[in-house]
């Protein structure tokens, strides 16, 4: 696993084809953030499985073609503050001689950058593995990859080599969201409660701060209050409440029947979703 001071600049073609409809080489990055593992190496304890579609990049019929990048099955890559997150990226394509090697670059906001390469496991698919983190690792001289500014939309570039020596560069062949993890708590009281009385439901929404390696309150967010009767498996939204300056939540509802109360946060462009574990309230006549 290697880390570089800066991502590569414009990639010389060296006689290689550039995939249509893209013109030119990749622009150099102003800052490098990230690290990547070589193919087949899986580090850390959290694995985010990738699968999802990317845009096609066409080449001449006699040369290789990159058709897409498989990224997390359409799901976000969500990173907290305690574990490495490890995920594969699969680039798909074709060539008369078969694909042999792919170089994959991930590019994100504010200079976020990871790169690695992999030998292809088949004539049409090449899989590599990335590791990202936002936590301190004792003994490391530069252990933290991510900062808060790196959260958001990321793109995937691929340079694919064929067995006959031809190659094609496909910028923007895929995309995904890299988000800060969120957590929710809930407390409904009093317990038990008389039917028709008021229940106060409180909670707190926090999200990972990749700059301080802690969770902090997420202010100004809309969170759904949901209820599930004890004999049901389905939650229904009862109200929508905004978080306070420190991520706190509070509202009151009427006690109607026994059941579970929870908060449900759908997430944002930079932060993953979160659901609190339901808090049971016994409603008595």
């Amino acid at each position: 696993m290697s880390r570089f001071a800066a991502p590569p600049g414009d990639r010389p073609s060296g006689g290689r084809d550039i995939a249509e409809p893209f013109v030119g080489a990749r622009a150099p990055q102003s800052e490098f953030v990230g690290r990547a593992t070589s193919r087949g190496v899986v580090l850390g304890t959290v694995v985010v499985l990738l699968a999802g579609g990317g845009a096609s990049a066409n080449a001449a019929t006699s040369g290789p073609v990159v058709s897409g990048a498989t990224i997390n099955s359409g799901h976000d890559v969500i990173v907290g503050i305690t574990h490495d997150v490890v995920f594969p990226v699969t680039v798909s394509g074709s060539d008369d001689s078969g694909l042999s090697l792919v170089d994959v670059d991930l590019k994100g906001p504010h200079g976020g950058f990871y790169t690695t390469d992999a030998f292809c496991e088949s004539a049409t698919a090449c899989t590599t593995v990335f590791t990202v983190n936002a936590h301190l690792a004792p003994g490391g001289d530069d252990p933290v990859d991510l900062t808060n500014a790196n959260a958001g939309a990321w793109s995937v570039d691929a340079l694919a080599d064929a067995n006959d020596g031809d190659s094609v560069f496909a910028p923007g062949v895929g995309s995904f969201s890299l988000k800060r993890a969120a957590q929710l708590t809930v407390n409904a009281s009093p317990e038990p409660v008389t039917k028709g009385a008021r229940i106060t439901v409180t909670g707190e929404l926090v999200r990972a701060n990749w700059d301080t390696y802690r969770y902090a309150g997420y202010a100004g967010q809309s969170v759904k209050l949901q209820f599930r009767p004890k004999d049901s498996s389905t939650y229904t939204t009862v109200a929508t409440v905004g978080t306070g300056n420190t991520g706190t939540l509070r509202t009151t509802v009427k006690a109607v029947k026994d059941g579970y109360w929870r908060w449900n946060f759908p997430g944002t462009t930079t932060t993953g979703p979160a659901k609190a574990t339901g808090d049971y309230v016994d409603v008595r006549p």
Side-chain angles (χ1 to χ4, degrees):
M1 185 168 65
S2 59
R3 183 182 181 93
F4 304 90
D10 292 344
R11 186 186 300 277
S13 66
R16 298 171 170 176
D17 296 329
I18 302 296
E20 299 176 359
F22 305 104
V23 179
R26 293 174 290 183
Q29 303 297 307
S30 60
E31 179 184 1
F32 173 76
V33 177
R35 66 184 71 194
T37 65
S38 60
R39 177 175 178 264
V41 178
V42 178
L43 302 177
T45 58
V46 179
V47 177
V48 181
L49 298 179
L50 293 189
S56 297
N58 298 318
T61 56
S62 60
V65 173
V66 173
S67 56
T70 305
I71 307 167
N72 202 28
S73 297
H75 300 299
D76 301 331
V77 178
I78 299 176
V79 182
I81 57 171
T82 59
H83 297 92
D84 290 350
V85 174
V86 184
F87 56 91
V89 175
T90 298
V91 174
S92 301
S94 62
D95 184 75
D96 293 342
S97 66
L99 300 179
S100 63
L101 182 72
V102 65
D103 174 30
V104 182
D105 294 346
L106 309 183
K107 299 189 297 185
H110 294 269
F113 186 86
Y114 294 83
T115 185
T116 191
D117 54 52
F119 289 101
C120 302
E121 64 269 24
S122 74
T124 59
C126 315
T127 301
T128 188
V129 178
F130 289 88
T131 300
V132 300
N133 75 72
H135 64 90
L136 289 174
D141 57 354
D142 190 12
V144 178
D145 284 350
L146 295 170
T147 67
N148 291 339
N150 299 136
W154 286 60
S155 63
V156 180
D157 293 350
L159 175 64
D161 294 336
N163 287 310
D164 61 7
D166 289 340
S167 64
V168 62
F169 173 51
V173 73
S175 63
F176 66 100
S177 292
L178 185 64
K179 297 185 176 184
R180 297 158 62 178
Q183 297 178 352
L184 264 175
T185 60
V186 65
N187 182 60
S189 63
E191 304 173 54
V193 65
T194 302
K195 184 175 181 179
R198 305 296 292 182
I199 299 172
T200 299
V201 186
T202 59
E204 185 181 25
L205 173 65
V206 297
R207 63 172 173 168
N209 187 321
W210 292 343
D211 296 336
T212 63
Y213 328 122
R214 292 180 173 85
Y215 278 88
Y218 197 7
Q221 302 303 309
S222 295
V223 182
K224 298 176 182 178
L225 176 64
Q226 299 181 323
F227 176 72
R228 175 173 70 86
K230 72 173 183 179
D231 55 355
S232 172
S233 60
T234 303
Y235 276 94
T236 300
T237 298
V238 175
T240 299
V241 179
T243 57
N245 292 336
T246 58
T248 55
L249 291 156
R250 182 183 180 90
T251 193
T252 60
V253 293
K254 182 182 291 187
V256 177
K257 62 177 69 175
D258 297 345
Y260 299 85
W261 295 91
R262 76 175 185 187
W263 296 105
N264 185 349
F265 173 61
T268 65
T269 57
T270 60
T271 306
K275 295 176 182 178
T277 301
D279 186 17
Y280 182 77
V281 175
D282 179 16
V283 178
R284 298 179 179 179

